[in-house]
mmCIF file of all heavy atoms in Angstrom:
data_model
loop_
_atom_site.group_PDB
_atom_site.id
_atom_site.type_symbol
_atom_site.label_atom_id
_atom_site.label_comp_id
_atom_site.label_asym_id
_atom_site.label_seq_id
_atom_site.Cartn_x
_atom_site.Cartn_y
_atom_site.Cartn_z
ATOM 1 N N SER A 51 133.408 60.531 79.045
ATOM 2 C CA SER A 51 134.383 61.098 78.114
ATOM 3 C C SER A 51 135.713 60.356 78.095
ATOM 4 O O SER A 51 136.490 60.493 77.150
ATOM 5 C CB SER A 51 134.635 62.571 78.470
ATOM 6 O OG SER A 51 135.108 62.680 79.808
ATOM 7 N N ASP A 52 135.992 59.577 79.110
ATOM 8 C CA ASP A 52 137.267 58.867 79.232
ATOM 9 C C ASP A 52 137.036 57.373 79.049
ATOM 10 O O ASP A 52 136.358 56.731 79.860
ATOM 11 C CB ASP A 52 137.876 59.141 80.609
ATOM 12 C CG ASP A 52 139.280 58.568 80.759
ATOM 13 O OD1 ASP A 52 139.677 57.720 79.929
ATOM 14 O OD2 ASP A 52 139.982 58.960 81.714
ATOM 15 N N GLU A 53 137.608 56.805 78.004
ATOM 16 C CA GLU A 53 137.420 55.388 77.707
ATOM 17 C C GLU A 53 137.960 54.490 78.812
ATOM 18 O O GLU A 53 137.526 53.346 78.961
ATOM 19 C CB GLU A 53 138.106 55.028 76.377
ATOM 20 C CG GLU A 53 137.428 55.626 75.146
ATOM 21 C CD GLU A 53 136.005 55.140 74.968
ATOM 22 O OE1 GLU A 53 135.738 53.953 75.265
ATOM 23 O OE2 GLU A 53 135.145 55.936 74.556
ATOM 24 N N ASN A 54 138.896 54.986 79.591
ATOM 25 C CA ASN A 54 139.454 54.189 80.677
ATOM 26 C C ASN A 54 138.588 54.199 81.940
ATOM 27 O O ASN A 54 138.763 53.358 82.819
ATOM 28 C CB ASN A 54 140.859 54.695 81.039
ATOM 29 C CG ASN A 54 141.848 54.489 79.902
ATOM 30 O OD1 ASN A 54 141.841 53.455 79.243
ATOM 31 N ND2 ASN A 54 142.687 55.491 79.663
ATOM 32 N N GLN A 55 137.656 55.160 82.015
ATOM 33 C CA GLN A 55 136.837 55.282 83.217
ATOM 34 C C GLN A 55 135.352 55.007 82.980
ATOM 35 O O GLN A 55 134.608 54.785 83.941
ATOM 36 C CB GLN A 55 136.982 56.688 83.814
ATOM 37 C CG GLN A 55 138.385 57.008 84.297
ATOM 38 C CD GLN A 55 138.440 58.342 85.026
ATOM 39 O OE1 GLN A 55 137.944 58.486 86.140
ATOM 40 N NE2 GLN A 55 139.042 59.342 84.386
ATOM 41 N N ILE A 56 134.926 55.026 81.740
ATOM 42 C CA ILE A 56 133.523 54.770 81.452
ATOM 43 C C ILE A 56 133.142 53.360 81.884
ATOM 44 O O ILE A 56 133.906 52.418 81.723
ATOM 45 C CB ILE A 56 133.219 54.991 79.945
ATOM 46 C CG1 ILE A 56 131.708 54.918 79.690
ATOM 47 C CG2 ILE A 56 133.978 54.009 79.075
ATOM 48 C CD1 ILE A 56 131.312 55.321 78.279
ATOM 49 N N GLN A 57 131.953 53.219 82.473
ATOM 50 C CA GLN A 57 131.513 51.931 83.002
ATOM 51 C C GLN A 57 130.180 51.518 82.380
ATOM 52 O O GLN A 57 129.510 52.314 81.721
ATOM 53 C CB GLN A 57 131.375 52.010 84.534
ATOM 54 C CG GLN A 57 132.686 52.309 85.248
ATOM 55 C CD GLN A 57 132.515 52.412 86.759
ATOM 56 O OE1 GLN A 57 131.422 52.248 87.287
ATOM 57 N NE2 GLN A 57 133.604 52.694 87.450
ATOM 58 N N GLU A 58 129.824 50.239 82.614
ATOM 59 C CA GLU A 58 128.517 49.767 82.189
ATOM 60 C C GLU A 58 127.430 50.463 83.025
ATOM 61 O O GLU A 58 127.662 50.827 84.169
ATOM 62 C CB GLU A 58 128.410 48.241 82.361
ATOM 63 C CG GLU A 58 129.288 47.448 81.417
ATOM 64 C CD GLU A 58 128.805 47.516 79.970
ATOM 65 O OE1 GLU A 58 127.772 48.171 79.679
ATOM 66 O OE2 GLU A 58 129.477 46.918 79.117
ATOM 67 N N PRO A 59 126.263 50.684 82.438
ATOM 68 C CA PRO A 59 125.801 50.223 81.117
ATOM 69 C C PRO A 59 126.201 51.143 79.959
ATOM 70 O O PRO A 59 125.830 50.902 78.820
ATOM 71 C CB PRO A 59 124.284 50.220 81.294
ATOM 72 C CG PRO A 59 124.041 51.359 82.248
ATOM 73 C CD PRO A 59 125.186 51.327 83.213
ATOM 74 N N PHE A 60 127.002 52.181 80.265
ATOM 75 C CA PHE A 60 127.331 53.170 79.238
ATOM 76 C C PHE A 60 128.323 52.635 78.206
ATOM 77 O O PHE A 60 128.320 53.068 77.057
ATOM 78 C CB PHE A 60 127.865 54.441 79.910
ATOM 79 C CG PHE A 60 126.856 55.089 80.811
ATOM 80 C CD1 PHE A 60 126.872 54.836 82.184
ATOM 81 C CD2 PHE A 60 125.872 55.899 80.295
ATOM 82 C CE1 PHE A 60 125.927 55.414 83.016
ATOM 83 C CE2 PHE A 60 124.922 56.485 81.118
ATOM 84 C CZ PHE A 60 124.950 56.225 82.482
ATOM 85 N N VAL A 61 129.170 51.678 78.612
ATOM 86 C CA VAL A 61 130.104 51.075 77.647
ATOM 87 C C VAL A 61 129.328 50.420 76.516
ATOM 88 O O VAL A 61 129.581 50.674 75.333
ATOM 89 C CB VAL A 61 131.016 50.042 78.345
ATOM 90 C CG1 VAL A 61 131.869 49.310 77.315
ATOM 91 C CG2 VAL A 61 131.916 50.720 79.375
ATOM 92 N N SER A 62 128.392 49.560 76.854
ATOM 93 C CA SER A 62 127.596 48.871 75.837
ATOM 94 C C SER A 62 126.725 49.843 75.054
ATOM 95 O O SER A 62 126.575 49.724 73.835
ATOM 96 C CB SER A 62 126.714 47.795 76.488
ATOM 97 O OG SER A 62 127.499 46.786 77.061
ATOM 98 N N PHE A 63 126.155 50.802 75.771
ATOM 99 C CA PHE A 63 125.265 51.765 75.114
ATOM 100 C C PHE A 63 125.984 52.501 73.990
ATOM 101 O O PHE A 63 125.468 52.619 72.870
ATOM 102 C CB PHE A 63 124.719 52.770 76.127
ATOM 103 C CG PHE A 63 123.729 53.746 75.552
ATOM 104 C CD1 PHE A 63 122.381 53.450 75.510
ATOM 105 C CD2 PHE A 63 124.153 54.971 75.052
ATOM 106 C CE1 PHE A 63 121.465 54.344 74.976
ATOM 107 C CE2 PHE A 63 123.253 55.870 74.509
ATOM 108 C CZ PHE A 63 121.900 55.561 74.473
ATOM 109 N N PHE A 64 127.190 52.987 74.280
ATOM 110 C CA PHE A 64 127.908 53.784 73.286
ATOM 111 C C PHE A 64 128.748 52.930 72.335
ATOM 112 O O PHE A 64 128.744 53.170 71.122
ATOM 113 C CB PHE A 64 128.788 54.818 73.984
ATOM 114 C CG PHE A 64 128.022 55.965 74.548
ATOM 115 C CD1 PHE A 64 127.869 56.119 75.917
ATOM 116 C CD2 PHE A 64 127.425 56.893 73.709
ATOM 117 C CE1 PHE A 64 127.146 57.178 76.442
ATOM 118 C CE2 PHE A 64 126.703 57.958 74.225
ATOM 119 C CZ PHE A 64 126.555 58.098 75.599
ATOM 120 N N ASN A 65 129.466 51.952 72.846
ATOM 121 C CA ASN A 65 130.401 51.197 72.000
ATOM 122 C C ASN A 65 129.716 50.189 71.091
ATOM 123 O O ASN A 65 130.272 49.801 70.067
ATOM 124 C CB ASN A 65 131.436 50.483 72.866
ATOM 125 C CG ASN A 65 132.356 51.458 73.588
ATOM 126 O OD1 ASN A 65 132.286 52.670 73.351
ATOM 127 N ND2 ASN A 65 133.203 50.957 74.465
ATOM 128 N N ILE A 66 128.530 49.731 71.478
ATOM 129 C CA ILE A 66 127.818 48.755 70.645
ATOM 130 C C ILE A 66 126.605 49.393 69.974
ATOM 131 O O ILE A 66 126.506 49.456 68.751
ATOM 132 C CB ILE A 66 127.376 47.533 71.489
ATOM 133 C CG1 ILE A 66 128.589 46.834 72.095
ATOM 134 C CG2 ILE A 66 126.560 46.556 70.631
ATOM 135 C CD1 ILE A 66 128.239 45.704 73.051
ATOM 136 N N TYR A 67 125.693 49.911 70.801
ATOM 137 C CA TYR A 67 124.387 50.288 70.262
ATOM 138 C C TYR A 67 124.349 51.671 69.633
ATOM 139 O O TYR A 67 123.560 51.901 68.725
ATOM 140 C CB TYR A 67 123.324 50.140 71.353
ATOM 141 C CG TYR A 67 123.065 48.686 71.660
ATOM 142 C CD1 TYR A 67 123.621 48.073 72.776
ATOM 143 C CD2 TYR A 67 122.307 47.901 70.800
ATOM 144 C CE1 TYR A 67 123.407 46.728 73.036
ATOM 145 C CE2 TYR A 67 122.080 46.563 71.050
ATOM 146 C CZ TYR A 67 122.637 45.980 72.165
ATOM 147 O OH TYR A 67 122.426 44.654 72.405
ATOM 148 N N GLU A 68 125.188 52.592 70.085
ATOM 149 C CA GLU A 68 125.229 53.880 69.388
ATOM 150 C C GLU A 68 125.749 53.671 67.974
ATOM 151 O O GLU A 68 125.233 54.282 67.019
ATOM 152 C CB GLU A 68 126.109 54.882 70.129
ATOM 153 C CG GLU A 68 126.067 56.275 69.482
ATOM 154 C CD GLU A 68 126.899 57.294 70.216
ATOM 155 O OE1 GLU A 68 128.124 57.094 70.321
ATOM 156 O OE2 GLU A 68 126.325 58.302 70.676
ATOM 157 N N ASN A 69 126.741 52.813 67.818
ATOM 158 C CA ASN A 69 127.264 52.514 66.486
ATOM 159 C C ASN A 69 126.207 51.849 65.613
ATOM 160 O O ASN A 69 126.060 52.166 64.427
ATOM 161 C CB ASN A 69 128.492 51.607 66.589
ATOM 162 C CG ASN A 69 129.684 52.313 67.224
ATOM 163 O OD1 ASN A 69 129.775 53.538 67.177
ATOM 164 N ND2 ASN A 69 130.580 51.557 67.832
ATOM 165 N N LEU A 70 125.448 50.932 66.201
ATOM 166 C CA LEU A 70 124.395 50.251 65.455
ATOM 167 C C LEU A 70 123.292 51.227 65.066
ATOM 168 O O LEU A 70 122.817 51.215 63.924
ATOM 169 C CB LEU A 70 123.808 49.121 66.305
ATOM 170 C CG LEU A 70 122.749 48.237 65.638
ATOM 171 C CD1 LEU A 70 123.330 47.495 64.438
ATOM 172 C CD2 LEU A 70 122.185 47.242 66.647
ATOM 173 N N ARG A 71 122.934 52.078 65.993
ATOM 174 C CA ARG A 71 121.915 53.096 65.693
ATOM 175 C C ARG A 71 122.387 54.035 64.591
ATOM 176 O O ARG A 71 121.641 54.367 63.670
ATOM 177 C CB ARG A 71 121.591 53.867 66.970
ATOM 178 C CG ARG A 71 120.690 55.091 66.747
ATOM 179 C CD ARG A 71 121.501 56.360 66.663
ATOM 180 N NE ARG A 71 120.676 57.538 66.485
ATOM 181 C CZ ARG A 71 121.149 58.733 66.191
ATOM 182 N NH1 ARG A 71 122.467 58.909 66.025
ATOM 183 N NH2 ARG A 71 120.346 59.765 66.044
ATOM 184 N N ASN A 72 123.639 54.490 64.678
ATOM 185 C CA ASN A 72 124.173 55.396 63.657
ATOM 186 C C ASN A 72 124.169 54.756 62.281
ATOM 187 O O ASN A 72 123.876 55.411 61.271
ATOM 188 C CB ASN A 72 125.590 55.830 64.030
ATOM 189 C CG ASN A 72 125.611 56.762 65.230
ATOM 190 O OD1 ASN A 72 124.588 57.332 65.604
ATOM 191 N ND2 ASN A 72 126.769 56.914 65.845
ATOM 192 N N SER A 73 124.496 53.470 62.222
ATOM 193 C CA SER A 73 124.484 52.768 60.938
ATOM 194 C C SER A 73 123.065 52.658 60.396
ATOM 195 O O SER A 73 122.835 52.798 59.191
ATOM 196 C CB SER A 73 125.081 51.361 61.086
ATOM 197 O OG SER A 73 126.462 51.433 61.342
ATOM 198 N N ALA A 74 122.108 52.403 61.277
ATOM 199 C CA ALA A 74 120.718 52.267 60.846
ATOM 200 C C ALA A 74 120.147 53.602 60.376
ATOM 201 O O ALA A 74 119.293 53.637 59.487
ATOM 202 C CB ALA A 74 119.871 51.708 61.987
ATOM 203 N N VAL A 75 120.636 54.706 60.945
ATOM 204 C CA VAL A 75 120.121 56.026 60.575
ATOM 205 C C VAL A 75 120.808 56.569 59.323
ATOM 206 O O VAL A 75 120.168 57.109 58.421
ATOM 207 C CB VAL A 75 120.290 57.014 61.750
ATOM 208 C CG1 VAL A 75 119.936 58.435 61.322
ATOM 209 C CG2 VAL A 75 119.418 56.592 62.925
ATOM 210 N N HIS A 76 122.133 56.463 59.264
ATOM 211 C CA HIS A 76 122.877 56.943 58.085
ATOM 212 C C HIS A 76 124.001 55.949 57.771
ATOM 213 O O HIS A 76 125.161 56.165 58.109
ATOM 214 C CB HIS A 76 123.427 58.362 58.303
ATOM 215 C CG HIS A 76 123.767 58.703 59.717
ATOM 216 N ND1 HIS A 76 124.877 58.212 60.370
ATOM 217 C CD2 HIS A 76 123.127 59.481 60.609
ATOM 218 C CE1 HIS A 76 124.918 58.683 61.592
ATOM 219 N NE2 HIS A 76 123.864 59.453 61.780
ATOM 220 N N PHE A 77 123.582 54.884 57.087
ATOM 221 C CA PHE A 77 124.491 53.765 56.844
ATOM 222 C C PHE A 77 125.612 54.104 55.862
ATOM 223 O O PHE A 77 125.445 54.884 54.924
ATOM 224 C CB PHE A 77 123.711 52.559 56.313
ATOM 225 C CG PHE A 77 124.592 51.370 56.015
ATOM 226 C CD1 PHE A 77 125.117 50.604 57.046
ATOM 227 C CD2 PHE A 77 124.933 51.054 54.702
ATOM 228 C CE1 PHE A 77 125.953 49.529 56.782
ATOM 229 C CE2 PHE A 77 125.766 49.978 54.426
ATOM 230 C CZ PHE A 77 126.273 49.215 55.464
ATOM 231 N N SER A 78 126.749 53.476 56.108
ATOM 232 C CA SER A 78 127.880 53.476 55.186
ATOM 233 C C SER A 78 128.540 52.104 55.316
ATOM 234 O O SER A 78 128.552 51.521 56.412
ATOM 235 C CB SER A 78 128.876 54.580 55.549
ATOM 236 O OG SER A 78 130.126 54.340 54.910
ATOM 237 N N PRO A 79 129.084 51.543 54.227
ATOM 238 C CA PRO A 79 129.758 50.238 54.314
ATOM 239 C C PRO A 79 130.896 50.200 55.329
ATOM 240 O O PRO A 79 131.307 49.119 55.766
ATOM 241 C CB PRO A 79 130.275 50.020 52.899
ATOM 242 C CG PRO A 79 129.350 50.802 52.031
ATOM 243 C CD PRO A 79 129.003 52.022 52.833
ATOM 244 N N THR A 80 131.394 51.380 55.724
ATOM 245 C CA THR A 80 132.494 51.414 56.699
ATOM 246 C C THR A 80 131.988 51.374 58.141
ATOM 247 O O THR A 80 132.791 51.283 59.065
ATOM 248 C CB THR A 80 133.327 52.690 56.503
ATOM 249 O OG1 THR A 80 132.493 53.835 56.725
ATOM 250 C CG2 THR A 80 133.905 52.765 55.098
ATOM 251 N N LYS A 81 130.658 51.449 58.314
ATOM 252 C CA LYS A 81 130.095 51.489 59.659
ATOM 253 C C LYS A 81 129.622 50.104 60.097
ATOM 254 O O LYS A 81 129.791 49.113 59.398
ATOM 255 C CB LYS A 81 128.930 52.490 59.703
ATOM 256 C CG LYS A 81 129.365 53.939 59.520
ATOM 257 C CD LYS A 81 128.194 54.883 59.629
ATOM 258 C CE LYS A 81 128.651 56.339 59.497
ATOM 259 N NZ LYS A 81 127.525 57.280 59.597
ATOM 260 N N GLU A 82 128.987 50.070 61.266
ATOM 261 C CA GLU A 82 128.460 48.831 61.838
ATOM 262 C C GLU A 82 127.516 48.134 60.856
ATOM 263 O O GLU A 82 126.695 48.768 60.204
ATOM 264 C CB GLU A 82 127.704 49.143 63.136
ATOM 265 C CG GLU A 82 127.273 47.945 63.930
ATOM 266 C CD GLU A 82 128.395 47.336 64.747
ATOM 267 O OE1 GLU A 82 129.416 48.015 64.940
ATOM 268 O OE2 GLU A 82 128.234 46.178 65.183
ATOM 269 N N GLN A 83 127.634 46.825 60.752
ATOM 270 C CA GLN A 83 126.823 46.054 59.817
ATOM 271 C C GLN A 83 125.365 46.021 60.269
ATOM 272 O O GLN A 83 125.067 45.779 61.442
ATOM 273 C CB GLN A 83 127.362 44.624 59.729
ATOM 274 C CG GLN A 83 126.646 43.744 58.723
ATOM 275 C CD GLN A 83 126.720 44.301 57.319
ATOM 276 O OE1 GLN A 83 125.713 44.763 56.788
ATOM 277 N NE2 GLN A 83 127.899 44.277 56.723
ATOM 278 N N ILE A 84 124.444 46.316 59.331
ATOM 279 C CA ILE A 84 123.020 46.241 59.668
ATOM 280 C C ILE A 84 122.329 45.128 58.876
ATOM 281 O O ILE A 84 121.119 44.939 58.997
ATOM 282 C CB ILE A 84 122.301 47.593 59.430
ATOM 283 C CG1 ILE A 84 122.393 48.028 57.973
ATOM 284 C CG2 ILE A 84 122.842 48.659 60.361
ATOM 285 C CD1 ILE A 84 121.514 49.234 57.650
ATOM 286 N N TRP A 85 123.082 44.386 58.066
ATOM 287 C CA TRP A 85 122.524 43.235 57.370
ATOM 288 C C TRP A 85 122.670 42.047 58.311
ATOM 289 O O TRP A 85 123.649 41.302 58.262
ATOM 290 C CB TRP A 85 123.267 42.994 56.055
ATOM 291 C CG TRP A 85 122.477 42.142 55.096
ATOM 292 C CD1 TRP A 85 121.908 40.945 55.344
ATOM 293 C CD2 TRP A 85 122.171 42.455 53.740
ATOM 294 N NE1 TRP A 85 121.253 40.470 54.253
ATOM 295 C CE2 TRP A 85 121.410 41.383 53.231
ATOM 296 C CE3 TRP A 85 122.476 43.531 52.896
ATOM 297 C CZ2 TRP A 85 120.942 41.345 51.921
ATOM 298 C CZ3 TRP A 85 122.008 43.495 51.598
ATOM 299 C CH2 TRP A 85 121.253 42.424 51.114
ATOM 300 N N LEU A 86 121.684 41.871 59.155
ATOM 301 C CA LEU A 86 121.730 40.835 60.188
ATOM 302 C C LEU A 86 120.556 39.872 60.031
ATOM 303 O O LEU A 86 119.529 40.212 59.442
ATOM 304 C CB LEU A 86 121.669 41.469 61.581
ATOM 305 C CG LEU A 86 122.715 42.523 61.930
ATOM 306 C CD1 LEU A 86 122.395 43.151 63.277
ATOM 307 C CD2 LEU A 86 124.111 41.912 61.957
#
């Protein structure tokens, strides 16, 4: 819950891949790019 205390592998899981997953499930141009 605290961005200053969260550690790997949870940093990558939430900050990178949760965003990518969310875009793939319900995409919006304002979200993570899925045209890769």
Side-chain angles (χ1 to χ4, degrees):
S51 58
D52 187 345
E53 290 298 323
N54 295 319
Q55 296 187 71
I56 188 172
Q57 298 179 1
E58 292 290 359
F60 298 96
V61 174
S62 295
F63 184 88
F64 285 109
N65 294 354
I66 299 174
Y67 289 101
E68 185 179 61
N69 292 335
L70 184 62
R71 172 262 181 190
N72 290 343
S73 291
V75 172
H76 31 74
F77 179 74
S78 164
T80 61
K81 292 182 178 180
E82 188 79 17
Q83 183 59 251
I84 60 171
W85 199 308
L86 304 173

